[in-house]
Amino acid sequence: MKRYPDWQVRMQAFVRERRKMPFAWGRNDCAVFAADYLEAVTGERVCTDLRAHTNAREALQTLERAGGVRAIATRALGEPIPVVRAGVGDVVVIAVGKREALAVCNGGTAVAPGPAGVVAVPMQQALAAWRVG
């Protein structure tokens, strides 16, 4: 998977587009957010099987079948890298309460979908990372 030469501009546009889009299962949850981000910056469509759920129960079943968010990221991006080596534009897993969620590294923070739009959490909450491109 290779990033477009203007991936930074595409990343900014993607985050700006999602800035006020609320979390929605199967439309703007963490897995769909990460997959849509990857398509925006690489042109590659990944994890198309993660869009069929419409509620939390179905999403958790889908995640369980896929092996969890780490397995989803590994399937799309290859082996993880140390979190300390994650750079802007890489995909990370963050802690969200007792669960894990996919997010995108934006420097000192990671961005992910939240109840009212994109939220930023400190990269200190990142548990795993994958290089994009």
Side-chain angles (χ1 to χ4, degrees):
M1 183 173 298
K2 188 173 180 178
R3 296 183 199 191
Y4 288 120
D6 64 342
W7 70 268
Q8 296 101 330
V9 173
R10 291 170 182 263
M11 179 181 168
Q12 290 172 355
F14 175 79
V15 173
R16 193 170 39 254
E17 173 187 302
R18 297 290 175 103
R19 188 177 70 236
K20 295 195 187 256
M21 183 184 291
F23 181 96
W25 293 110
R27 288 195 339 255
N28 193 39
D29 57 37
C30 74
V32 172
F33 181 88
D36 288 350
Y37 161 74
L38 289 170
E39 185 173 3
V41 300
T42 70
E44 292 192 36
R45 203 164 157 89
V46 298
C47 303
T48 55
D49 57 327
L50 299 177
R51 298 171 187 271
H53 54 274
T54 58
N55 58 52
R57 182 182 56 75
E58 291 173 357
L60 291 174
Q61 289 172 341
T62 299
L63 284 174
E64 188 174 304
R65 280 193 304 273
V69 293
R70 293 178 193 229
I72 290 168
T74 299
R75 187 175 73 212
L77 297 166
E79 291 302 311
I81 61 172
V83 172
V84 297
R85 298 193 62 207
V88 174
D90 289 337
V91 171
V92 299
V93 168
I94 57 172
V96 180
K98 294 182 180 183
R99 299 193 190 274
E100 294 184 344
L102 292 168
V104 177
C105 177
N106 195 26
T109 62
V111 293
V118 172
V119 296
V121 299
M123 274 297 290
Q124 290 83 351
Q125 290 184 21
L127 306 171
W130 289 261
R131 178 85 56 224
V132 175

